[in-house]
Amino acid sequence: MRFERKRTRAALVAAAALPLVAGALALGTQSASADQPSGRQLLTGTKPQWATAQADQGAAADSGKVTARVYLAGKDAKGLAAYAQAVSDPNSASYGHYLTAAQTQARFGATAAQRAAVTKWLTSAGLKVTGGNQHYLTVTGDVAAAEKAFGTTLHNYSKAGKTYRAPAATASAPASLNGAVLTVTGLDTAPKKVSHDDTLPPPDAVFKNAGPFSTYFGSNTNTKLPDAYGVKAPYAIKGYTGEQLRAAYGAGKYTGKGVRVAITDAYASPYIAQDAAQYAKRNGDQKYKAGQLTQVLPSDYTKTDECGASGWYGEETLDVEAVHALAPDANIVYVGGASCYDDDLLDALNKVVDGHLADIVSNSWGDVEANETPDVAAAYDQVFQQGAVEGIGFYFSSGDAGDNVASTGVKQADTPGNSPWATSVGGTSLAVGKNDTYQWETGWGTERAPLSADGKTWTGFPGPYTSGAGGGTSKLYAQPFYQRGVVPDSLALANGGSVKQRVEPDIAAVADPNTGFLVGQTQTFPDGSLQYSEYRIGGTSLAAPVIAGVQALAQQARHGIAIGFANPLIYNQYGTSVYHDVTDHPLGQGRDLAVVRVDFANSFDSSDGVITSLRSLGKDASLHATVGYDDVTGVGTPAKGYVTSSLPKR
C-alpha cells in the first residue's frame, strides 16, 4: 500500500545547476529565456502542460477569485545546497557539522526585508496577503490583480471534459526582488477543491487475510496443490512481526533509544493510539511509554472525499506500528497533512524541519515523475536541503507499480524519491525461516495465477504482473555525486543521451504484501461496527518505515549522533558485507520462487468462498534485481553489521 499525492501540474522542466549534482536541475529558479519579459524573473513550470492553444476557451473574468501560495527562495539558495552536501558527505571536513533550526533560518532563510519586498509587490498589484510563514505567503484577490502581479493572463481551458483556469504564459516576478521568489502555486484550478470544513470519515471497510498461513517462510505447504517451478510452493506467511524483521535486518541489542522518528502522511487515524497499543500487546512488541507516540495535526482537514481520507488511516497505522516494531524505544511523532495535496504535505514536512521534531522522517506517499512540476519540486528540494543542514534525513517509498508502464503506459521513476536530496526506499520479498533465521530476499515483483476450478493447474501460469517495487531512471535529475561509480551506466544512461541521470531506489527492505508485515487496525465491519482486527500488508510504504526504524537503531549505535541525509553514507558503504545484495534468483539461476495465497472473495469472511492463487516472486515488470546496484533494491538491504557500520570517527 502506498498513497499518491494529488496533482494539478505539468511535466518537469530543466533549469540551473545544484552543487550536489553535476548538471542537476535547480527547479523553480530564475530562468534565462528568449521569452523572458524585460525586468522579470520567470517562475518556471507555472503554466501547466494541459493549458494548450487547442484547449483555450478564452480569458478568465477579471472578477474571478484567486488564492495562491508564493514560496520564498531565501537569501542564499546556492549556499544552502552547498552546505547540505558538505554536512552529509562522510568524506567532507564539514561532515556532521549540523546547524540548529534557528541557525538554518538565520543563515539561509528569507529575511524580513525580502518578505517585506515580496509583500509590497503583491499588495501593490491589488492582492491581499492573508497568511504564511517563513517559507511562503498566501495571497488572495481577483484575476485582474493576479495577472498584474505575476505578469501573465489567466484563461479558461478544457481538460477531461471540464473547464479550469490556468496561466496562458509562465508566471513571473519582478527581477528587482533579486530572486526572493522561489515559485507560485495555485494559479491553476484543476482539479476542483472542496471546502475547508470537512470532518474525517470513519475507517475503511474491513479487510482480512483468509489463510491457511505459514508461521515462518516455508513452514506450511499443501502437497495436494499443483507444482510451481518444479516444486510445491508454501503458503504465504500470516505476516512478519517485529521480532522477525529485527532479526532479518541485524538489529542486535539496539532499540532506537534516544532517537526521534517522524512520520508524515495525510489526515490522521482517530484510533492510532489504541490500535498501536493493542497491536504491541498482542504481538510481543514493547509497550509504549507515556509520550512515546505523539501527533502534530492541522487545525482542520480539506479534500477528504477527493483524497479518500479514511484510506490514509491504514497508512498511518502501518507506518507507526512498523517503526515501533523495529525500534521499540524510539520516540515517534506523527505529522499529519491537511490533505493529500502538495502544499499540505509540504506544510507537514516543514513542521518537522522548523521544529526539528525528528532526525529521521518516513514518508509513504508519492506520485509518478511525469506528474512532477518545477514549481513544487523546488519547494520539496528546499525543505530537504534545510533538513540536511540540520541533520534530518527524509525516506520515501519508491512506488508500488514497478516501472509504471502497466499503470501509466510510460516507463518512469517516482517522486519525491527522485530528488537527489531524498532517500528512495525500494522493496523486496523476504524469507525469514525457523528461529527467525534470514534465508533470502528477492526484488519485489509479483505475477498472479489463480487455481483452476478442478484444482489441478495454475490458470495462465505464471499469470499477469500485478505489482512491484518502484524504481528507474529519472528524466529530470542528473546523477548525484554519491551514485558515481556505483550505478551502472546501463541504468544512468537508460533514457538515452550522454548525461547520466539519477536512478532510484537507494536502499530497500521488505515490501511484498505476500511476505509482508502484520498490522492491527480499527476497521468498519459489514454490520457497521468498528472493531480492531489484524491483517498482512505490504508495499514500499512498508519498506520506508522499516528502513526508518533501522536508521533509528544505527543512530543509537552512533551514540545519538544524527545520520542526517543518508545517501552519501549509504553509497559510501556499497559493496561491503553490511548489505544483503538482493537478486531476482537468490537460490541460483533457473530457480524461481512463489507462494500460495488464499483470500476471502468478499475480503472479510468465507461466506462467499475463498480464492486460491499462486504468487510468483522476483518478477518486477522490466526492472531487475541484479548483482550489485539495481533499480529494484538499490545497494541492497541492511545486513548484520549495518547498524554499527557507520560509527562516526572520534
Side-chain angles (χ1 to χ4, degrees), residues 126-197:
L127 294 172
K128 182 179 180 181
V129 176
T130 58
N133 55 31
Q134 64 197 50
H135 303 288
Y136 62 82
L137 298 173
T138 302
V139 296
T140 60
D142 58 28
V143 165
E147 290 178 334
K148 181 179 178 181
F150 297 107
T152 187
T153 57
L154 300 180
H155 281 211
N156 294 317
Y157 294 89
S158 60
K159 179 179 183 290
K162 297 182 179 180
T163 300
Y164 302 115
R165 190 177 62 213
T170 300
S172 62
S176 60
L177 293 173
N178 297 315
V181 176
L182 182 69
T183 191
V184 57
T185 62
L187 294 182
D188 71 73
T189 59
K192 187 178 185 298
K193 299 175 181 178
V194 300
S195 63
H196 286 236
D197 58 356

Side-chain angles (χ1 to χ4, degrees), residues 156-492:
N156 294 317
Y157 294 89
S158 60
K159 179 179 183 290
K162 297 182 179 180
T163 300
Y164 302 115
R165 190 177 62 213
T170 300
S172 62
S176 60
L177 293 173
N178 297 315
V181 176
L182 182 69
T183 191
V184 57
T185 62
L187 294 182
D188 71 73
T189 59
K192 187 178 185 298
K193 299 175 181 178
V194 300
S195 63
H196 286 236
D197 58 356
D198 288 356
T199 56
L200 291 177
D204 272 351
V206 63
F207 171 80
K208 288 185 176 182
N209 304 114
F213 303 108
S214 292
T215 54
Y216 57 84
F217 194 90
S219 69
N220 186 8
T221 301
N222 185 346
T223 59
K224 296 181 180 180
L225 291 175
D227 285 2
Y229 303 111
V231 297
K232 301 291 185 183
Y235 282 116
I237 61 164
K238 185 176 182 180
Y240 288 128
T241 62
E243 179 181 344
Q244 291 169 306
L245 295 184
R246 281 175 53 82
Y249 295 128
K253 64 181 181 180
Y254 295 99
T255 62
K257 186 176 182 179
V259 181
R260 294 174 298 170
V261 177
I263 294 165
T264 72
D265 287 312
Y267 309 107
S269 168
Y271 307 96
I272 187 61
Q274 65 191 56
D275 287 350
Q278 186 164 356
Y279 177 83
K281 182 177 181 180
R282 288 168 60 107
N283 291 283
D285 289 344
Q286 183 171 291
K287 182 180 179 180
Y288 287 82
K289 300 179 180 68
Q292 188 178 0
L293 172 60
T294 58
Q295 295 192 95
V296 177
L297 304 178
S299 57
D300 57 12
Y301 298 99
T302 69
K303 311 173 187 70
T304 53
D305 290 338
E306 191 174 346
C307 293
S310 59
W312 286 82
Y313 300 171
E315 187 62 63
E316 178 186 359
T317 303
L318 166 61
D319 295 351
V320 168
E321 292 176 357
V323 170
H324 185 69
L326 269 295
D329 277 321
N331 289 325
I332 300 172
V333 54
Y334 174 78
V335 186
S339 81
C340 63
Y341 276 68
D342 284 307
D343 281 347
D344 291 323
L345 293 168
L346 279 163
D347 281 348
L349 295 174
N350 276 318
K351 286 178 183 178
V352 177
V353 173
D354 294 344
H356 203 135
L357 302 181
D359 299 322
I360 297 163
V361 190
S362 178
N363 312 273
S364 295
W365 44 269
D367 201 356
V368 295
E369 193 177 65
N371 288 342
E372 187 62 284
T373 55
D375 49 358
V376 176
Y380 277 110
D381 285 347
Q382 184 185 65
V383 71
F384 298 155
Q385 291 166 15
Q386 290 172 339
V389 304
E390 294 181 28
I392 300 171
F394 297 87
Y395 301 82
F396 280 89
S397 55
S398 69
D400 293 350
D403 60 12
N404 287 306
V405 170
S407 56
T408 70
V410 178
K411 187 173 182 178
Q412 59 184 308
D414 279 54
T415 181
N418 63 338
S419 171
W421 299 100
T423 299
S424 175
V425 183
T428 69
S429 303
L430 171 66
V432 179
K434 190 175 183 179
N435 299 322
D436 300 337
T437 303
Y438 177 91
Q439 293 185 338
W440 47 259
E441 283 173 279
T442 187
W444 169 38
T446 305
E447 294 175 343
R448 177 183 181 274
L451 184 65
S452 63
D454 61 10
K456 295 182 178 180
T457 60
W458 300 111
T459 304
F461 175 82
Y465 174 78
T466 63
S467 56
T473 306
S474 172
K475 295 180 175 68
L476 313 173
Y477 287 102
Q479 184 179 76
F481 80 93
Y482 51 77
Q483 288 196 324
R484 297 175 197 152
V486 175
V487 176
D489 286 354
S490 59
L491 294 177

